[in-house]
Amino acid sequence: MATRRFTAPADFPEPAALDEFYGALAEADVQPLWAQQGLMPRTPPLRDVPALWKWKRLRALAERSGELVPIDRGGDRRVLAFANPGGGGLPYATSTLWGAVQYLGPGELAPAHHHTPGALRFVLEGSGVWTLVDSDPVAMNPGDLVLTPSWRWHEHHNPGTGPMLWFDGLDIPMVRAVDAVFFEDGPDRMTNRAVDTVSRAELRYAGAPGLLPLDDEPPAPHSPLLAYRRAETDRALTRLLAARGGPHAALRFADPTSGADVMPTLRCAMHRLLPGLRTPTTRRTGSSIWVAYSGAATAVVDGHRFDLEPGDVLAVPSWAPFDLAATEPTDLFSVSDAPVLEAMRLARTETLPAHQELR
Ligand code: GTQ
Ligand code: FE2
């Protein structure tokens, strides 16, 4: 059997020589691999923790922010970001995803800006609001998914009489990690006015499934369809559930021209679960945020049990065992970093042989 050969350093180097050597390393801005802790753990350690934000509490805080804080503070948005308790104080729901609840009061306008992080909105409460994406007015209503992809100008208008609250999902931690955040305020501010037209994006790309304009535009790096309507999602879930014979259907929101994810960094999905099933316990690389839309369900994440009611938001860390069970018919929205993990060829999924035990 071949023996591994090493050039032999002194068995017992002089402590003073070692100290001097480590000093010289630090001086030279280099660090030895042999002094690193946890650089390559055997499996991803849970950095973030599984965490739940209850809608009841969130809603009250968001409403209070509407009373106390004008919209022109910090980023021109009234946004409460989910801060993962394991995230060292950063305002991130997970290590790769920004999640937040945004509150836009009646008569308010969140003025135009653009940034390289891509954003999506999943509407939870209110009506009559529209987001202008570049020059396209996109209406917002509960259960709708609205996209404001990277570097597209966007401003939110509420000409109505009640507030709107929605979930924001962005790729901010990923774009920050690669030092590619750019931001600009809009050139001028539009006046608040109601728009009752259908967005140009929907006129072109949401006519009917599988029917695309023949005079297609050059492909954008994101879905050209900027809104996915609740009625359509609901109908598609009903049909998929029928096709599968229940009790779990999941739909991925896709670019109608390519089938790709809605944005290069973010995967969005909608799940419907019927009572009587606990999904297999799986874990995946990459993290996700889950937003309950309707019904009642229980999630187990890394042995911790969470009850999901409408509006509740759950953070699922990378490689955390995760399963779901509904106590009544339940719809859940999810956003994840899966396109990035897949592009990096780092996507892994494992289904555990048995359901996890509660801690
Ligand atoms: O609505 O434009 O939650 O720019 C974070 C940054 C929302 C927005 C957020 C943003 C927005
Ligand atoms: Fe924004």
Side-chain angles (χ1 to χ4, degrees):
M1 199 171 122
T3 47
R4 293 168 79 179
R5 299 183 69 87
F6 299 90
T7 47
D11 276 346
F12 300 102
E14 269 181 56
L18 263 186
D19 282 354
E20 192 193 319
F21 173 61
Y22 284 118
L25 290 179
E27 197 67 22
D29 295 319
V30 293
Q31 288 189 28
L33 177 63
W34 63 83
Q36 306 302 316
Q37 300 280 325
L39 195 62
M40 294 208 207
R42 217 173 59 78
T43 59
L46 285 197
R47 193 143 53 102
D48 309 315
V49 297
L52 180 72
W53 293 268
K54 293 298 283 181
W55 174 245
K56 222 180 144 200
R57 197 174 182 191
L58 280 176
R59 205 208 165 285
L61 291 169
E63 187 165 41
R64 195 75 183 121
S65 76
E67 292 160 4
L68 293 174
V69 186
I71 214 156
D72 51 5
R73 286 276 186 83
D76 282 334
R77 299 294 185 265
R78 191 186 293 107
V79 161
L80 301 176
F82 305 122
N84 192 290
L90 290 170
Y92 302 149
T94 71
S95 53
T96 54
L97 298 169
W98 169 281
V101 60
Q102 183 158 168
Y103 184 95
L104 192 64
E108 287 189 322
L109 156 67
H113 68 202
H114 69 176
H115 37 70
T116 48
L120 61 89
R121 334 284 168 181
F122 183 73
V123 182
L124 293 168
E125 183 188 315
S127 65
V129 169
W130 47 280
T131 285
L132 199 66
V133 186
D134 290 330
S135 55
D136 201 13
V138 182
M140 297 172 78
N141 285 293
D144 292 348
L145 171 66
V146 170
L147 312 180
T148 60
S150 178
W151 213 237
R152 306 287 303 266
W153 294 103
H154 52 284
E155 58 190 59
H156 313 299
H157 292 243
N158 185 354
T161 52
M164 179 171 277
L165 291 93
W166 67 79
F167 167 82
D168 281 323
L170 288 91
D171 54 13
I172 296 172
M174 293 189 271
V175 184
R176 294 269 315 236
V178 293
D179 289 327
V181 174
F182 293 81
F183 176 98
E184 287 177 336
D185 277 316
D188 49 25
R189 281 146 197 225
M190 305 221 358
T191 48
N192 199 350
R193 59 182 170 81
V195 167
D196 54 9
T197 54
V198 178
S199 71
R200 185 170 171 276
E202 288 168 279
L203 288 174
R204 283 182 65 79
Y205 293 102
L211 292 175
L212 296 169
L214 186 57
D215 63 329
D216 210 357
E217 289 163 347
H222 55 76
S223 171
L225 181 59
L226 301 174
Y228 296 76
R229 300 295 173 197
R230 169 64 194 170
E232 304 292 325
T233 312
D234 182 33
R235 190 169 58 122
L237 284 169
T238 302
R239 291 183 166 188
L240 184 58
L241 212 52
R244 294 172 58 89
H248 179 201
L251 288 167
R252 185 172 60 89
F253 293 93
D255 176 338
T257 67
S258 66
D261 285 297
V262 288
M263 289 182 276
T265 50
L266 297 172
R267 173 164 301 162
C268 297
M270 198 80 194
H271 302 251
R272 179 166 293 169
L273 294 117
L274 302 182
L277 159 97
R278 185 172 173 191
T279 62
T281 299
T282 55
R283 53 182 172 191
R284 327 171 163 269
T285 50
S287 63
S288 55
I289 306 176
W290 293 68
V291 184
Y293 182 69
S294 60
T298 299
V300 184
V301 190
D302 194 34
H304 299 278
R305 184 197 147 118
F306 300 97
D307 290 325
L308 300 175
E309 298 167 295
D312 293 354
V313 174
L314 177 71
V316 179
S318 184
W319 212 237
F322 175 46
D323 59 63
L324 289 164
T327 47
E328 48 183 271
T330 295
D331 283 5
L332 304 168
F333 171 80
S334 70
V335 55
S336 78
D337 54 13
V340 174
L341 276 287
E342 288 174 7
M344 296 169 86
R345 303 293 191 271
L346 294 172
R348 283 195 194 204
T349 305
E350 183 178 284
T351 300
L352 303 187
H355 284 126
Q356 51 193 318
E357 301 286 325
L358 290 185
R359 291 186 187 226

